[in-house]
Amino acid sequence: MYSRWIRNSFIYLLILVAVIAIVFAFFSSGPDHPKIAFGQVIQDAQANQIQQIEVDGRNLTVTYATKDEDGDPIVKSSKMGSNTDIETLLTENGVALSRSQAPTQPALDLEYKDSSGFGPWLGLLLNVLPFLLFGLFLLLIMRQAQGSNSQAMSFGKSRARLFTGSKVTVTFSDVAGVDEAKEELAEVVEFLKYPEKFAALGARIPKGVLLVGPPGTGKTLLSRAVAGEAGVPFFSISGSEFVEMFVGVGASRVRDLFDQAKKNAPCIIFIDEIDAVGRQRGAGLGGSHDEREQTLNQILVEMDGFDPGTNVIVIAATNRPDILDPALLRPGRFDRKVILDAPDVKGREAILAVHAKGKPIADDVLVPTLAKSTPGFSGADLANLVNEAAILAARRNKKIITMKEFEEAVDRVIAGPERKSRVMSEKEKRLTAYHEGGHTVCAFFLSHHDPPHKVTIVSRGMAGGYTRFLPDEETHYRTPSMFKDQLVSALGGHAAEELIFGEASTGPSNDIEQVTRIARAMVTRWGMSDRLGPRTFGKTEEMVFLGREIAETRNYSEKIAEEIDDEVRRLIEEAQERARALLREKRDVLEKLVAVLMEVETLEGETLTRLLSSDPKDPWPPSDLEQKNQTPQPPAAEESPRRPALDPKPATGLAWEGGSQSRTDVS
């Protein structure tokens, strides 16, 4: 580092000298005067026409006694020979060197300019300047070549970012909704803090922990929390940062990373998205022994070659555990596999509590209701939900965040922002109202479906309308009755359009796609067909290198394929007929709901439930509800912000492939 600083300083000094020389070359010569021959100067001196001569080296500045038209003395410049003694020459030609001492003969004032010794050096510098600039150019070229070479040699250096344990930024208190995962990783913290405790019992420190879960479930956050709790150095790197276009670079970076980790032990190495380099070997296109596989081989060697007393733990994260190489997952490399799933309702409450810290929350905010309204939301989704609510409150010039902002934020996250500027004709608005009303009425009167929570005909995102359901309780298992009711509710919009207008529009296209997918999965994946029995049909194949489905292997005959199509068609037709019959029976309720929607555009919560439960002939709104809506709300919620005691305990048992299957219909 010091030698580099000296080299750079020398280059900058040369550049500064060159600039000074150029400045002096152009600006130190003084004013531009007419030039005359040196012999003419001697003759004019003999004629007593010269008042003063200023000598600057070989350069002469001659001031004449005569004046020009402006009344200024005439000044000319000349240059004498290198070996000329101007004093002797003037004296020999009868010219006195002082006008005051020789008033009767030709005389002039001879003066010498004090150059302080810089003149000769400047002349020398000007002569050497071309060579200096050429040498500087060569030096810059050589330096550039050396820099490129050093950069090329640094490809093999690890690009991991080091976070020291002195500054704790994230702890386990910042992570919620994944209690089982925190318990597993709490042992890792104890391994790093108190290794002698486990060594006394002959226990071996785990070499690797694999965090598996969908995107946004907190894998990276949890690994940083482990480093914060343990107070040890934390090396963070992405799997894609290992591989470059040059052969052997990835393996070299792996070696350098583990060398740095051993020097800073005890420490943690975190590799995010390890599936970028940890995919199963031999699955590449165009050959198996590629650069990615060399990187993976080096990771396998480094993790297996640890000294038991090194105290270096590797934490990796991925959302594709199915494509990882088996050698990477065996005990001795990644000893533990920690599953992080989308949180359940209690986990979502805890996550909302974490993200609500430090924010002014109103008294009307019901965290359990928000948790129920967000099935399938990950931790990142919930963080975005709270942030969106805060942004909405700030946009409305509020000092606290109310339940209204949170409800609006849920809708924004699911379906997108409101498109209030979208112009809809009265016919399209009426069509949307009947479509969303069909979903709502069917869902309300079905016994195995989540009740509707909100219905609106205001456009959101790409949807013309929007219906959201709120489950009574979160379920991890689904029955055929629940799926069949879901099919009926999804086809409610299509059936309502046919019942009222005689034909359906393109609005139910997303509903039809969803219905087809569910019905086919019931037959081919979940064994919910009485005709075909509890069997699965078809095996999805994918290329591990690509990580995507490319084909489906048919392990059944053409006859079975026809029976599958018949069963799918039967399920959809039965659901469609049930939807039609239910809407014909509850048409009065549908008409009342549509009339109210055309007026207020949005219904939700208790208001929606009371409307659907009321007698279709009763006037709307009821007197008590009308008085409630007309009563002005006290401004106390705006003036007295508080933070609610949001400290729910997350429920144990997070299912990997469960969660509420409540549906949100957008049309």
Side-chain angles (χ1 to χ4, degrees), residues 284-302:
L285 299 178
S288 60
H289 197 66
D290 58 0
E291 172 65 11
R292 178 187 55 80
E293 293 191 1
Q294 293 186 32
T295 306
L296 174 59
N297 292 335
Q298 190 63 42
I299 293 176
L300 297 177
V301 171
E302 293 290 343

Side-chain angles (χ1 to χ4, degrees), residues 27 156 225 353 411 442 558 645:
F27 299 101
D411 295 336
C442 288
E558 291 293 335

Side-chain angles (χ1 to χ4, degrees), residues 438-500:
H439 291 308
T440 305
V441 171
C442 288
F444 184 79
F445 292 101
L446 290 171
S447 57
H448 299 94
H449 197 281
D450 296 328
H453 177 69
K454 181 176 183 178
V455 57
T456 179
I457 58 175
V458 178
S459 300
R460 284 188 176 273
M462 300 298 295
Y466 173 64
T467 305
R468 181 156 58 88
F469 308 102
L470 184 64
D472 295 328
E473 60 181 8
E474 190 160 325
T475 58
H476 299 285
Y477 301 101
R478 308 286 291 175
T479 63
S481 299
M482 299 169 70
F483 280 121
K484 289 179 180 179
D485 283 1
Q486 190 172 345
L487 295 179
V488 175
S489 174
L491 290 172
H494 185 276
E497 292 184 17
E498 287 186 336
L499 178 64
I500 303 300

Side-chain angles (χ1 to χ4, degrees), residues 34-55 59-64 76-80 86 89-90 93 95 108 110:
K35 295 182 179 181
I36 59 175
F38 181 70
Q40 184 65 40
V41 173
I42 301 299
Q43 294 179 8
D44 293 342
Q46 290 177 340
N48 201 21
Q49 298 178 359
I50 299 177
Q51 183 178 2
Q52 182 184 0
I53 295 178
E54 186 180 80
V55 183
N59 299 318
L60 304 178
T61 302
V62 183
T63 303
Y64 284 82
K76 297 182 180 180
S77 62
S78 181
K79 193 171 186 178
M80 62 183 178
I86 190 172
L89 186 61
L90 291 173
N93 288 276
V95 180
L108 54 81
L110 184 65

Side-chain angles (χ1 to χ4, degrees), residues 218 261 392 396 502 601 617 638 666:
L392 287 172
R396 297 167 182 175
E601 295 186 341
K617 299 180 181 180
E638 295 283 340
V666 290

Side-chain angles (χ1 to χ4, degrees), residues 245-449:
M245 63 180 292
F246 299 101
V247 178
V249 171
S252 178
R253 288 180 178 176
V254 172
R255 289 191 296 268
D256 184 70
L257 172 62
F258 280 84
D259 288 340
Q260 294 182 37
K262 293 175 183 177
K263 294 177 182 178
N264 291 273
C267 67
I268 295 174
I269 297 176
F270 176 65
I271 305 175
D272 199 8
E273 306 296 342
I274 195 175
D275 51 276
V277 294
R279 294 174 183 256
Q280 185 174 350
R281 290 169 292 180
L285 299 178
S288 60
H289 197 66
D290 58 0
E291 172 65 11
R292 178 187 55 80
E293 293 191 1
Q294 293 186 32
T295 306
L296 174 59
N297 292 335
Q298 190 63 42
I299 293 176
L300 297 177
V301 171
E302 293 290 343
M303 292 189 67
D304 208 25
F306 268 170
D307 185 5
T310 305
N311 291 347
V312 177
I313 294 180
V314 182
I315 300 178
T318 181
N319 54 7
R320 295 297 307 275
D322 54 316
I323 64 175
L324 295 180
D325 193 274
L328 196 64
L329 301 176
R330 74 162 177 83
R333 292 195 174 104
F334 283 102
D335 304 89
R336 293 189 177 186
K337 182 184 293 184
V338 179
I339 306 299
L340 285 85
D341 194 10
D344 59 3
V345 61
K346 294 297 183 182
R348 293 194 296 273
E349 289 186 25
I351 295 173
L352 289 171
V354 170
H355 293 293
K357 288 182 180 178
K359 295 180 174 62
I361 308 297
D363 295 336
D364 64 340
V365 176
L366 303 177
V367 179
T369 303
L370 289 176
K372 289 182 179 180
S373 306
T374 53
F377 274 43
S378 64
D381 295 329
L382 295 173
N384 185 37
L385 169 65
V386 177
N387 186 61
E388 286 287 342
I391 293 174
L392 287 172
R395 185 183 301 172
R396 297 167 182 175
N397 297 321
K398 293 184 177 181
K399 296 183 179 180
I400 59 175
I401 309 172
T402 64
M403 191 66 179
K404 185 178 181 181
E405 279 75 44
F406 278 104
E407 290 281 356
E408 176 70 17
V410 173
D411 295 336
R412 290 175 66 91
V413 173
I414 294 178
E418 288 187 1
R419 298 174 61 188
K420 298 181 180 179
S421 60
R422 182 178 179 181
V423 180
M424 295 180 62
S425 64
E426 190 69 19
K427 183 179 179 181
E428 288 184 343
K429 188 176 180 181
R430 187 174 181 83
L431 177 66
T432 304
Y434 275 107
H435 181 99
E436 301 302 331
H439 291 308
T440 305
V441 171
C442 288
F444 184 79
F445 292 101
L446 290 171
S447 57
H448 299 94
H449 197 281

Side-chain angles (χ1 to χ4, degrees), residues 172-226:
F172 281 153
S173 60
D174 300 315
V175 184
V178 285
D179 280 7
E180 291 80 6
K182 289 198 303 186
E183 291 177 2
E184 291 288 331
L185 293 176
E187 293 186 2
V188 175
V189 175
E190 289 207 25
F191 279 132
L192 294 172
K193 282 186 172 181
Y194 315 106
E196 64 280 356
K197 172 183 176 181
F198 299 89
L201 298 175
R204 177 178 56 84
I205 296 178
K207 294 180 180 179
V209 179
L210 184 64
L211 304 179
V212 180
T217 51
K219 299 184 293 294
T220 304
L221 180 66
L222 196 57
S223 64
R224 294 181 61 187
V226 172

